[in-house]
Protein backbone atom coordinates (compact mmCIF):
# COMPACT_ATOMS: atom_id res chain seq x y z
CA UNK A 1 0.00 0.00 0.00
CA UNK A 2 1.17 3.47 -0.83
CA UNK A 3 0.36 6.30 1.56
CA UNK A 4 0.11 9.65 -0.18
CA UNK A 5 -0.11 13.07 1.50
CA UNK A 6 -3.70 14.33 1.83
CA UNK A 7 -5.03 11.11 3.33
CA UNK A 8 -5.24 9.05 0.18
CA UNK A 9 -4.26 5.41 0.34
CA UNK A 10 -3.88 3.60 -2.98
CA UNK A 11 -4.30 -0.17 -2.98
CA UNK A 12 -2.79 -1.51 -6.22
CA UNK A 13 -4.36 -4.32 -8.26
CA UNK A 14 -2.18 -7.08 -6.80
CA UNK A 15 -3.18 -6.19 -3.22
CA UNK A 16 -6.99 -6.47 -3.40
CA UNK A 17 -9.48 -9.07 -4.56
CA UNK A 18 -11.65 -7.09 -7.01
CA UNK A 19 -11.51 -8.64 -10.44
CA UNK A 20 -13.04 -7.21 -13.61
CA UNK A 21 -14.83 -10.53 -14.07
CA UNK A 22 -17.14 -9.70 -11.19
CA UNK A 23 -18.09 -6.28 -12.61
CA UNK A 24 -21.05 -6.10 -14.98
CA UNK A 25 -20.19 -5.81 -18.68
CA UNK A 26 -22.33 -2.69 -19.00
CA UNK A 27 -20.53 -0.96 -16.12
CA UNK A 28 -17.17 -1.80 -17.70
CA UNK A 29 -18.35 -0.46 -21.05
CA UNK A 30 -19.33 2.85 -19.43
CA UNK A 31 -16.05 3.08 -17.51
CA UNK A 32 -13.97 2.43 -20.64
CA UNK A 33 -15.93 4.82 -22.83
CA UNK A 34 -15.54 7.59 -20.25
CA UNK A 35 -11.79 7.12 -19.88
CA UNK A 36 -11.46 6.69 -23.68
CA UNK A 37 -13.05 10.13 -24.05
CA UNK A 38 -10.59 11.73 -21.66
CA UNK A 39 -12.62 11.66 -18.42
CA UNK A 40 -11.73 10.05 -15.14
CA UNK A 41 -14.04 7.22 -14.22
CA UNK A 42 -14.28 4.99 -11.17
CA UNK A 43 -16.64 2.43 -9.79
CA UNK A 44 -17.80 3.67 -6.40
CA UNK A 45 -20.13 3.04 -3.48
CA UNK A 46 -22.02 -0.17 -2.82
CA UNK A 47 -20.53 -1.94 -5.84
CA UNK A 48 -16.95 -1.63 -4.56
CA UNK A 49 -18.00 -2.33 -0.97
CA UNK A 50 -19.91 -5.49 -1.87
CA UNK A 51 -17.16 -6.83 -4.14
CA UNK A 52 -14.67 -6.40 -1.30
CA UNK A 53 -17.06 -8.29 0.96
CA UNK A 54 -17.40 -10.99 -1.73
CA UNK A 55 -21.09 -10.25 -2.14
CA UNK A 56 -22.94 -9.81 -5.40
CA UNK A 57 -23.53 -6.03 -5.80
CA UNK A 58 -27.14 -4.93 -6.33
CA UNK A 59 -26.06 -2.33 -8.86
CA UNK A 60 -22.95 -0.55 -10.11
CA UNK A 61 -22.52 3.18 -9.60
CA UNK A 62 -19.90 5.17 -11.41
CA UNK A 63 -18.32 8.52 -10.56
CA UNK A 64 -16.60 10.75 -13.11
CA UNK A 65 -15.24 14.24 -13.64
CA UNK A 66 -17.44 14.66 -16.72
CA UNK A 67 -20.53 16.82 -16.21
CA UNK A 68 -23.98 15.24 -16.62
CA UNK A 69 -24.30 16.91 -20.05
CA UNK A 70 -20.90 15.59 -21.16
CA UNK A 71 -21.79 12.07 -20.03
CA UNK A 72 -25.21 12.31 -21.65
CA UNK A 73 -23.54 13.22 -24.96
CA UNK A 74 -21.44 10.02 -24.92
CA UNK A 75 -24.32 7.55 -24.55
CA UNK A 76 -27.42 7.70 -26.67
CA UNK A 77 -29.17 5.28 -24.28
CA UNK A 78 -28.86 7.78 -21.41
CA UNK A 79 -30.86 10.49 -19.69
CA UNK A 80 -30.31 13.03 -16.96
CA UNK A 81 -32.44 12.56 -13.84
CA UNK A 82 -32.88 14.14 -10.41
CA UNK A 83 -32.99 17.62 -9.00
CA UNK A 84 -31.52 17.28 -5.53
CA UNK A 85 -28.66 15.39 -7.20
CA UNK A 86 -28.40 15.41 -11.00
CA UNK A 87 -27.30 12.04 -12.32
CA UNK A 88 -27.10 10.26 -15.64
CA UNK A 89 -28.86 6.93 -16.08
CA UNK A 90 -27.51 4.74 -18.86
CA UNK A 91 -29.75 1.88 -19.85
CA UNK A 92 -28.58 -1.52 -21.09
CA UNK A 93 -31.66 -3.71 -21.43
CA UNK A 94 -32.96 -4.12 -17.89
CA UNK A 95 -29.77 -2.89 -16.28
CA UNK A 96 -29.28 0.79 -15.43
CA UNK A 97 -25.82 2.17 -14.75
CA UNK A 98 -25.87 5.36 -12.70
CA UNK A 99 -23.16 7.93 -13.40
CA UNK A 100 -22.61 10.80 -10.99
CA UNK A 101 -20.26 13.74 -11.43
CA UNK A 102 -17.69 14.23 -8.64
CA UNK A 103 -19.29 16.67 -6.24
CA UNK A 104 -18.14 18.61 -3.27
CA UNK A 105 -20.20 19.74 -0.36
CA UNK A 106 -19.64 23.45 0.16
CA UNK A 107 -22.46 25.02 2.13
CA UNK A 108 -21.66 28.47 0.72
CA UNK A 109 -21.75 27.47 -2.96
CA UNK A 110 -24.73 28.81 -4.94
CA UNK A 111 -25.36 25.30 -6.28
CA UNK A 112 -25.72 23.82 -2.80
CA UNK A 113 -28.93 24.62 -0.97
CA UNK A 114 -29.49 23.98 2.74
CA UNK A 115 -32.59 24.66 4.80
CA UNK A 116 -32.60 26.38 8.21
CA UNK A 117 -31.77 23.09 10.02
CA UNK A 118 -28.80 22.41 7.77
CA UNK A 119 -30.60 19.85 5.59
CA UNK A 120 -29.30 19.55 2.03
CA UNK A 121 -32.01 20.46 -0.46
CA UNK A 122 -29.82 20.60 -3.53
CA UNK A 123 -26.25 19.48 -3.97
CA UNK A 124 -24.89 20.04 -7.44
CA UNK A 125 -21.58 21.70 -6.74
CA UNK A 126 -18.96 19.86 -8.72
CA UNK A 127 -15.63 19.06 -7.12
CA UNK A 128 -12.66 16.73 -7.36
CA UNK A 129 -12.57 13.08 -6.43
CA UNK A 130 -11.41 13.73 -2.87
CA UNK A 131 -14.29 16.18 -2.28
CA UNK A 132 -16.56 13.51 -3.72
CA UNK A 133 -15.28 10.88 -1.28
CA UNK A 134 -15.76 13.17 1.72
CA UNK A 135 -19.37 14.09 0.91
CA UNK A 136 -20.42 10.41 0.85
CA UNK A 137 -22.15 8.89 3.87
CA UNK A 138 -20.15 5.99 5.33
CA UNK A 139 -16.46 5.21 4.93
CA UNK A 140 -17.38 1.75 3.59
CA UNK A 141 -19.34 3.49 0.80
CA UNK A 142 -16.54 5.87 -0.20
CA UNK A 143 -14.06 3.58 -1.93
CA UNK A 144 -13.21 4.02 -5.61
CA UNK A 145 -12.12 1.35 -8.06
CA UNK A 146 -10.05 3.20 -10.64
CA UNK A 147 -10.46 1.71 -14.11
CA UNK A 148 -7.22 3.39 -15.27
CA UNK A 149 -4.98 1.01 -13.31
CA UNK A 150 -7.43 -1.22 -11.38
CA UNK A 151 -6.35 0.16 -8.01
CA UNK A 152 -8.62 1.08 -5.10
CA UNK A 153 -8.54 4.65 -3.83
CA UNK A 154 -9.29 5.09 -0.15
CA UNK A 155 -9.67 8.65 1.21
CA UNK A 156 -11.47 7.81 4.47
CA UNK A 157 -9.96 4.58 5.86
CA UNK A 158 -12.91 2.75 4.41
CA UNK A 159 -10.97 -0.41 3.73
CA UNK A 160 -9.97 -0.80 7.38
CA UNK A 161 -13.61 -0.27 8.39
CA UNK A 162 -14.79 -2.89 5.91
CA UNK A 163 -12.21 -5.30 7.27
CA UNK A 164 -13.37 -4.74 10.84
CA UNK A 165 -17.04 -4.64 9.72
CA UNK A 166 -17.61 -1.20 11.13
CA UNK A 167 -20.12 1.33 9.76
CA UNK A 168 -18.76 4.81 10.33
CA UNK A 169 -20.06 8.16 9.07
CA UNK A 170 -17.48 10.36 7.41
CA UNK A 171 -17.03 13.56 9.47
CA UNK A 172 -19.06 14.72 12.46
CA UNK A 173 -21.98 12.33 12.87
CA UNK A 174 -24.62 14.80 14.09
CA UNK A 175 -23.81 17.26 11.28
CA UNK A 176 -24.02 14.51 8.69
CA UNK A 177 -27.45 13.43 10.02
CA UNK A 178 -28.62 17.04 10.01
CA UNK A 179 -27.59 17.38 6.37
CA UNK A 180 -29.60 14.29 5.50
CA UNK A 181 -31.58 12.48 8.22
CA UNK A 182 -32.23 9.54 5.89
CA UNK A 183 -28.62 8.55 6.60
CA UNK A 184 -29.92 7.20 9.95
CA UNK A 185 -32.15 4.77 8.07
CA UNK A 186 -29.28 3.91 5.75
CA UNK A 187 -27.13 3.17 8.80
CA UNK A 188 -29.75 0.72 10.05
CA UNK A 189 -30.09 -0.88 6.63
CA UNK A 190 -26.38 -1.36 6.00
CA UNK A 191 -25.69 -2.56 9.56
CA UNK A 192 -28.44 -5.17 9.17
CA UNK A 193 -27.67 -6.20 5.62
CA UNK A 194 -23.89 -6.34 5.87
CA UNK A 195 -23.84 -7.52 9.48
CA UNK A 196 -21.71 -4.51 10.47
CA UNK A 197 -21.43 -2.90 13.88
CA UNK A 198 -22.42 0.79 13.87
CA UNK A 199 -19.42 2.71 15.16
CA UNK A 200 -19.94 4.37 18.55
CA UNK A 201 -20.40 8.03 17.56
CA UNK A 202 -22.34 7.14 14.38
CA UNK A 203 -24.62 5.10 16.64
CA UNK A 204 -24.96 7.55 19.54
CA UNK A 205 -25.92 10.46 17.28
CA UNK A 206 -28.95 8.53 15.98
CA UNK A 207 -30.58 8.85 19.41
CA UNK A 208 -29.92 12.58 19.32
CA UNK A 209 -31.03 13.22 15.72
CA UNK A 210 -33.90 10.76 15.15
CA UNK A 211 -36.57 13.48 15.36
CA UNK A 212 -35.18 15.06 12.18
CA UNK A 213 -36.86 12.26 10.22
CA UNK A 214 -40.17 14.09 10.80
CA UNK A 215 -39.23 16.55 8.07
CA UNK A 216 -38.46 14.01 5.36
CA UNK A 217 -40.96 13.97 2.49
CA UNK A 218 -43.31 10.97 2.65
CA UNK A 219 -42.34 9.90 -0.88
CA UNK A 220 -38.69 9.51 0.07
CA UNK A 221 -39.67 7.59 3.19
CA UNK A 222 -41.67 5.17 1.04
CA UNK A 223 -38.56 4.38 -1.05
CA UNK A 224 -36.39 4.04 2.02
CA UNK A 225 -38.89 1.89 3.91
CA UNK A 226 -39.04 -0.57 1.03
CA UNK A 227 -35.25 -0.73 0.89
CA UNK A 228 -35.19 -1.41 4.65
CA UNK A 229 -37.76 -4.20 4.58
CA UNK A 230 -36.72 -5.74 1.26
CA UNK A 231 -33.04 -5.79 2.21
CA UNK A 232 -33.11 -9.51 2.98
CA UNK A 233 -32.43 -8.65 6.65
CA UNK A 234 -35.79 -7.20 7.64
CA UNK A 235 -35.91 -8.98 11.03
CA UNK A 236 -32.69 -7.28 12.08
CA UNK A 237 -33.82 -3.98 10.53
CA UNK A 238 -36.96 -4.10 12.67
CA UNK A 239 -34.95 -4.77 15.84
CA UNK A 240 -32.60 -1.89 15.06
CA UNK A 241 -35.44 0.53 14.25
CA UNK A 242 -36.91 -0.26 17.68
CA UNK A 243 -33.53 -0.06 19.39
CA UNK A 244 -32.87 3.41 17.94
CA UNK A 245 -36.43 4.56 18.55
CA UNK A 246 -36.93 5.27 14.86
CA UNK A 247 -40.06 3.17 14.31
CA UNK A 248 -42.21 6.12 15.44
CA UNK A 249 -41.19 8.15 12.37
CA UNK A 250 -42.16 5.40 9.94
CA UNK A 251 -45.05 3.57 11.60
CA UNK A 252 -46.36 5.75 14.45
CA UNK A 253 -49.54 3.75 15.09
CA UNK A 254 -47.59 0.50 15.43
CA UNK A 255 -44.97 2.17 17.58
CA UNK A 256 -47.59 3.61 19.92
CA UNK A 257 -49.33 0.27 20.28
CA UNK A 258 -46.09 -1.58 21.00
CA UNK A 259 -45.17 1.00 23.63
CA UNK A 260 -48.50 0.69 25.41
CA UNK A 261 -48.92 -3.06 25.35
CA UNK A 262 -46.32 -5.04 23.45
CA UNK A 263 -48.68 -7.93 22.62
CA UNK A 264 -46.42 -10.97 22.31
CA UNK A 265 -48.54 -12.65 19.65
CA UNK A 266 -48.39 -9.54 17.45
CA UNK A 267 -44.64 -9.21 17.87
CA UNK A 268 -44.29 -12.90 16.99
CA UNK A 269 -46.50 -12.34 13.96
CA UNK A 270 -44.35 -9.44 12.72
CA UNK A 271 -41.18 -11.38 13.35
CA UNK A 272 -42.45 -14.45 11.53
CA UNK A 273 -43.68 -12.35 8.59
CA UNK A 274 -40.27 -10.69 8.33
CA UNK A 275 -38.51 -14.08 8.50
CA UNK A 276 -40.73 -15.14 5.62
CA UNK A 277 -40.00 -11.95 3.64
CA UNK A 278 -36.26 -12.36 4.19
CA UNK A 279 -36.39 -15.96 3.00
CA UNK A 280 -38.21 -14.90 -0.17
CA UNK A 281 -35.85 -11.99 -0.88
CA UNK A 282 -32.79 -14.15 -0.27
CA UNK A 283 -34.01 -16.78 -2.69
CA UNK A 284 -34.95 -14.21 -5.35
CA UNK A 285 -38.69 -14.73 -5.06
CA UNK A 286 -41.10 -11.89 -5.66
CA UNK A 287 -42.20 -9.86 -2.64
CA UNK A 288 -45.00 -7.35 -2.85
CA UNK A 289 -44.60 -4.00 -1.10
CA UNK A 290 -48.25 -4.36 -0.07
CA UNK A 291 -47.39 -7.35 2.11
CA UNK A 292 -44.94 -5.41 4.29
CA UNK A 293 -47.41 -2.59 4.86
CA UNK A 294 -50.20 -5.08 5.55
CA UNK A 295 -48.00 -6.77 8.16
CA UNK A 296 -46.70 -3.66 9.93
CA UNK A 297 -50.11 -2.00 10.11
CA UNK A 298 -51.98 -5.13 11.13
CA UNK A 299 -51.63 -4.71 14.91
CA UNK A 300 -53.33 -1.26 14.92
CA UNK A 301 -55.90 -2.33 12.29
CA UNK A 302 -56.73 -5.46 14.25
CA UNK A 303 -57.05 -3.55 17.50
CA UNK A 304 -59.26 -0.88 15.98
CA UNK A 305 -61.46 -3.43 14.25
CA UNK A 306 -62.11 -5.07 17.62
CA UNK A 307 -63.06 -1.69 19.09
CA UNK A 308 -65.46 -1.03 16.20
CA UNK A 309 -67.02 -4.48 16.60
CA UNK A 310 -67.81 -3.67 20.18
CA UNK A 311 -69.76 -0.72 18.74
CA UNK A 312 -71.93 -3.26 16.89
CA UNK A 313 -70.19 -3.30 13.51
CA UNK A 314 -69.87 -6.71 11.83
CA UNK A 315 -66.36 -8.08 11.36
CA UNK A 316 -65.80 -7.29 7.67
CA UNK A 317 -67.17 -3.72 7.79
CA UNK A 318 -65.18 -3.19 11.00
CA UNK A 319 -61.99 -4.34 9.30
CA UNK A 320 -62.75 -2.23 6.28
CA UNK A 321 -63.31 0.91 8.35
CA UNK A 322 -60.32 0.27 10.63
CA UNK A 323 -58.17 -0.37 7.55
CA UNK A 324 -59.19 2.93 5.96
CA UNK A 325 -58.61 4.91 9.13
CA UNK A 326 -55.22 3.42 9.94
CA UNK A 327 -54.10 3.72 6.32
CA UNK A 328 -55.12 7.35 5.94
CA UNK A 329 -53.11 8.28 9.04
CA UNK A 330 -50.16 6.23 7.80
CA UNK A 331 -50.12 8.02 4.43
CA UNK A 332 -49.10 11.27 6.16
CA UNK A 333 -45.78 9.61 7.00
CA UNK A 334 -45.13 7.24 4.13
CA UNK A 335 -46.54 7.89 0.65
CA UNK A 336 -47.69 4.35 -0.14
CA UNK A 337 -48.89 4.27 -3.75
CA UNK A 338 -52.58 3.50 -4.08
CA UNK A 339 -52.17 0.08 -5.66
CA UNK A 340 -50.24 -1.10 -2.60
CA UNK A 341 -52.41 0.53 0.05
CA UNK A 342 -55.47 -0.97 -1.66
CA UNK A 343 -53.87 -4.41 -1.74
CA UNK A 344 -52.95 -4.16 1.96
CA UNK A 345 -56.64 -3.50 2.69
CA UNK A 346 -57.64 -6.46 0.50
CA UNK A 347 -55.27 -8.67 2.49
CA UNK A 348 -56.83 -7.56 5.79
CA UNK A 349 -60.42 -7.95 4.63
CA UNK A 350 -59.62 -11.39 3.18
CA UNK A 351 -58.61 -12.77 6.59
CA UNK A 352 -62.08 -13.65 7.91
CA UNK A 353 -62.98 -15.03 4.48
CA UNK A 354 -60.43 -17.82 4.92
CA UNK A 355 -62.63 -19.19 7.68
CA UNK A 356 -65.27 -20.15 5.12
CA UNK A 357 -64.09 -23.38 3.58
CA UNK A 358 -67.38 -24.42 1.99
CA UNK A 359 -69.24 -23.22 -1.08
CA UNK A 360 -68.30 -21.23 -4.17
CA UNK A 361 -66.60 -18.49 -2.16
CA UNK A 362 -63.44 -20.59 -1.97
CA UNK A 363 -62.96 -20.58 -5.75
CA UNK A 364 -63.58 -16.86 -5.87
CA UNK A 365 -61.06 -16.15 -3.14
CA UNK A 366 -58.30 -18.16 -4.76
CA UNK A 367 -58.72 -16.31 -8.08
CA UNK A 368 -57.90 -12.86 -6.69
CA UNK A 369 -54.54 -11.33 -7.65
CA UNK A 370 -53.86 -10.71 -3.96
CA UNK A 371 -54.74 -14.27 -2.92
CA UNK A 372 -51.15 -15.45 -2.55
CA UNK A 373 -50.17 -12.59 -0.27
CA UNK A 374 -53.37 -12.91 1.78
CA UNK A 375 -52.82 -16.68 2.13
CA UNK A 376 -49.21 -16.20 3.28
CA UNK A 377 -50.45 -13.60 5.75
CA UNK A 378 -53.06 -16.04 7.12
CA UNK A 379 -50.56 -18.90 7.41
CA UNK A 380 -48.16 -16.66 9.31
CA UNK A 381 -51.00 -15.77 11.66
CA UNK A 382 -51.64 -19.47 12.12
CA UNK A 383 -47.98 -20.12 12.92
CA UNK A 384 -48.13 -17.76 15.89
CA UNK A 385 -51.51 -18.97 17.08
CA UNK A 386 -53.63 -16.04 15.89
CA UNK A 387 -55.77 -18.30 13.67
CA UNK A 388 -56.27 -22.09 13.84
CA UNK A 389 -53.44 -24.06 12.20
CA UNK A 390 -55.93 -26.25 10.38
CA UNK A 391 -57.03 -23.29 8.22
CA UNK A 392 -53.56 -22.88 6.76
CA UNK A 393 -53.42 -26.61 6.07
CA UNK A 394 -56.87 -26.59 4.48
CA UNK A 395 -56.01 -23.78 2.07
CA UNK A 396 -52.64 -25.31 1.26
CA UNK A 397 -54.36 -28.58 0.28
CA UNK A 398 -57.12 -26.74 -1.53
CA UNK A 399 -54.63 -24.99 -3.79
CA UNK A 400 -53.03 -28.30 -4.66
CA UNK A 401 -56.34 -29.70 -5.81
CA UNK A 402 -57.28 -26.48 -7.63
CA UNK A 403 -54.07 -25.60 -9.45
CA UNK A 404 -55.79 -24.15 -12.53
CA UNK A 405 -56.64 -20.93 -10.77
CA UNK A 406 -53.33 -20.72 -9.24
CA UNK A 407 -50.49 -20.72 -11.71
CA UNK A 408 -48.75 -17.58 -10.47
CA UNK A 409 -49.05 -18.21 -6.77
CA UNK A 410 -47.91 -21.81 -6.46
CA UNK A 411 -48.54 -23.12 -3.00
CA UNK A 412 -45.77 -23.01 -0.48
CA UNK A 413 -46.11 -22.83 3.25
CA UNK A 414 -44.12 -19.98 4.75
CA UNK A 415 -40.71 -21.04 5.92
CA UNK A 416 -40.19 -21.29 9.62
CA UNK A 417 -36.49 -21.06 9.83
CA UNK A 418 -34.60 -17.86 10.11
CA UNK A 419 -32.48 -17.41 7.01
CA UNK A 420 -28.73 -17.28 7.60
CA UNK A 421 -27.56 -13.66 7.67
P1 LIG B 1 -27.05 -0.50 -2.26
O1 LIG B 1 -27.16 -0.03 -3.69
O2 LIG B 1 -26.46 -1.84 -2.07
O3 LIG B 1 -28.31 -0.31 -1.50
P2 LIG B 1 -25.21 1.70 -2.07
O4 LIG B 1 -24.15 2.00 -1.05
O5 LIG B 1 -24.77 1.51 -3.47
O6 LIG B 1 -26.02 0.46 -1.52
P3 LIG B 1 -26.88 3.77 -3.10
O7 LIG B 1 -28.13 4.34 -2.51
O8 LIG B 1 -26.96 3.02 -4.38
O9 LIG B 1 -26.23 2.87 -1.97
O10 LIG B 1 -25.87 4.99 -3.25
C1 LIG B 1 -24.62 4.87 -3.90
C2 LIG B 1 -23.56 5.64 -3.14
O11 LIG B 1 -23.90 7.03 -3.09
C3 LIG B 1 -23.40 5.22 -1.68
O12 LIG B 1 -22.55 4.11 -1.55
C4 LIG B 1 -22.81 6.48 -1.06
O13 LIG B 1 -21.45 6.60 -1.34
C5 LIG B 1 -23.54 7.58 -1.82
N1 LIG B 1 -24.79 7.99 -1.15
C6 LIG B 1 -26.03 7.53 -1.37
N2 LIG B 1 -26.93 8.13 -0.58
C7 LIG B 1 -26.24 9.01 0.17
C8 LIG B 1 -26.60 9.95 1.18
N3 LIG B 1 -27.87 10.07 1.58
N4 LIG B 1 -25.62 10.71 1.72
C9 LIG B 1 -24.33 10.59 1.29
N5 LIG B 1 -23.93 9.72 0.37
C10 LIG B 1 -24.87 8.94 -0.20
MG1 LIG C 1 -25.97 1.21 -5.18
Amino acid sequence: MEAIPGNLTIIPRDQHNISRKSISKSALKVLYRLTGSGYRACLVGGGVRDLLLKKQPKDFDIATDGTPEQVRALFKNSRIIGRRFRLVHIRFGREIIEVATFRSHHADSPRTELNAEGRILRDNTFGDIEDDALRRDFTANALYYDIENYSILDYTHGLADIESRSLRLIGKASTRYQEDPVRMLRAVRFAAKLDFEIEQETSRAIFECGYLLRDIPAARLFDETLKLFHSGSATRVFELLRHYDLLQYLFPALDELLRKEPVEAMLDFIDQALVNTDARVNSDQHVSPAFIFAVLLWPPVHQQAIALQSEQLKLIPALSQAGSEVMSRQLKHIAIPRRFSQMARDIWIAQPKFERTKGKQTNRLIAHPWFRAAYDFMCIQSMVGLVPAKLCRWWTDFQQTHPVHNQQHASREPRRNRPAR
Side-chain angles (χ1 to χ4, degrees):
M1 265 192 233
E2 193 184 343
I4 290 194
N7 277 333
L8 167 65
T9 303
I10 299 177
I11 301 103
R13 171 64 196 102
D14 57 357
Q15 287 174 37
H16 64 74
N17 64 5
I18 297 187
S19 131
R20 266 164 293 160
K21 281 198 219 89
S22 41
I23 301 172
S24 94
K25 293 240 168 14
S26 323
L28 286 172
K29 211 186 260 181
V30 174
L31 287 165
Y32 285 129
R33 179 147 344 146
L34 284 166
T35 49
S37 311
Y39 300 108
R40 260 199 103 174
C42 295
L43 205 61
V44 66
V48 181
R49 178 197 69 216
D50 291 350
L51 289 176
L52 287 167
L53 290 166
K54 300 198 172 66
K55 280 171 159 268
Q56 174 61 40
K58 207 176 71 203
D59 44 41
F60 290 95
D61 299 319
I62 288 172
T64 179
D65 59 0
T67 63
E69 288 72 19
Q70 287 168 331
V71 177
R72 166 81 191 85
L74 286 181
F75 300 92
K76 63 174 186 316
N77 48 334
S78 70
R79 62 195 187 100
I80 298 179
I81 61 143
R83 193 191 100 83
R84 209 160 47 92
F85 303 120
R86 291 174 72 235
L87 302 164
V88 182
H89 271 181
I90 308 176
R91 183 178 276 285
F92 297 88
R94 290 178 59 194
E95 189 179 10
I96 290 178
I97 303 294
E98 198 166 279
V99 182
T101 305
F102 295 146
R103 283 191 303 252
S104 71
H105 171 61
H106 288 304
D108 48 2
S109 154
R111 303 187 68 165
T112 303
E113 220 178 285
L114 303 184
N115 74 358
E117 284 82 45
R119 180 150 67 87
I120 300 174
L121 301 177
R122 205 160 72 103
D123 191 4
N124 285 312
T125 310
F126 300 136
D128 63 21
I129 183 167
E130 180 164 5
D131 296 328
D132 193 67
L134 299 180
R135 62 105 195 148
R136 288 176 185 273
D137 47 7
F138 304 100
T139 63
N141 285 349
L143 292 163
Y144 296 75
Y145 172 81
D146 192 343
I147 199 67
E148 204 76 67
N149 53 16
Y150 314 120
S151 60
I152 290 174
L153 312 178
D154 183 358
Y155 292 89
T156 65
H157 302 292
L159 198 61
D161 283 335
I162 286 186
E163 276 161 6
S164 61
R165 302 188 94 81
S166 175
L167 195 71
R168 183 193 307 271
L169 272 174
I170 300 167
K172 187 164 182 270
S174 54
T175 311
R176 301 308 312 278
Y177 291 142
Q178 275 155 21
E179 286 169 7
D180 183 5
V182 168
R183 289 175 185 149
M184 292 181 268
L185 300 177
R186 290 174 59 86
V188 163
R189 172 157 62 94
F190 292 129
K193 189 171 103 166
L194 306 171
D195 197 14
F196 273 33
E197 189 93 33
I198 306 181
E199 174 275 328
Q200 204 180 358
E201 185 50 25
T202 304
S203 169
R204 192 202 55 78
I206 299 180
F207 293 103
E208 179 192 318
C209 300
Y211 76 95
L212 294 167
L213 283 167
R214 281 198 199 113
D215 293 337
I216 301 301
R220 190 159 176 225
L221 287 186
F222 171 74
D223 292 343
E224 222 39 59
T225 300
L226 273 198
K227 287 185 192 166
L228 282 164
F229 286 97
H230 288 175
S231 62
S233 304
T235 50
R236 182 70 183 138
V237 159
F238 189 69
E239 282 167 14
L240 288 173
L241 288 175
R242 291 192 77 200
H243 170 79
Y244 285 112
D245 235 346
L246 297 179
L247 194 62
Q248 57 181 314
Y249 307 111
L250 299 178
F251 295 97
L254 173 65
D255 183 69
E256 203 177 300
L257 189 145
L258 294 179
R259 267 174 217 277
K260 269 198 276 191
E261 38 174 337
V263 194
E264 277 309 311
M266 278 298 178
L267 274 173
D268 287 350
F269 166 73
I270 291 176
D271 190 53
Q272 193 55 60
L274 298 182
V275 168
N276 185 244
T277 300
D278 286 344
R280 293 185 70 91
V281 170
N282 292 324
S283 57
D284 288 328
Q285 294 179 68
H286 173 72
V287 279
S288 165
F291 185 78
I292 281 296
F293 293 104
V295 165
L296 294 171
L297 296 173
W298 182 233
V301 168
H302 186 259
Q303 193 186 51
Q304 194 156 336
I306 291 172
L308 288 168
Q309 271 183 288
S310 69
E311 292 166 20
Q312 311 305 324
L313 266 187
K314 288 220 161 64
L315 180 56
I316 290 183
L319 271 175
S320 170
Q321 188 176 328
S324 304
E325 286 172 12
V326 169
M327 190 54 89
S328 72
R329 264 179 274 138
Q330 178 63 39
L331 291 174
K332 297 197 179 84
H333 304 271
I334 298 183
I336 307 169
R338 215 185 134 67
R339 64 187 187 285
F340 302 133
S341 61
Q342 185 53 49
M343 183 163 155
R345 295 186 55 204
D346 290 335
I347 292 173
W348 296 327
I349 293 169
Q351 296 309 303
K353 298 183 183 164
F354 281 109
E355 284 167 31
R356 282 183 237 145
T357 52
K358 292 202 173 71
K360 287 212 176 72
Q361 295 260 23
T362 50
N363 280 322
R364 242 180 279 148
L365 198 61
I366 204 172
H368 281 292
W370 41 256
F371 173 80
R372 173 64 214 219
Y375 155 79
D376 268 359
F377 192 99
M378 181 270 292
C379 285
I380 291 163
Q381 291 212 82
S382 86
M383 285 160 83
V384 299
L386 289 169
V387 306
K390 65 172 196 270
L391 273 190
C392 175
R393 278 199 301 276
W394 192 91
W395 282 95
T396 306
D397 294 344
F398 184 70
Q399 289 173 80
Q400 268 148 19
T401 49
H402 294 71
V404 269
H405 300 290
N406 206 21
Q407 294 295 346
Q408 299 154 288
H409 16 74
S411 158
R412 183 178 65 79
E413 284 210 43
R415 279 172 49 171
R416 263 178 185 280
N417 299 333
R418 247 168 221 278
R421 276 201 288 269

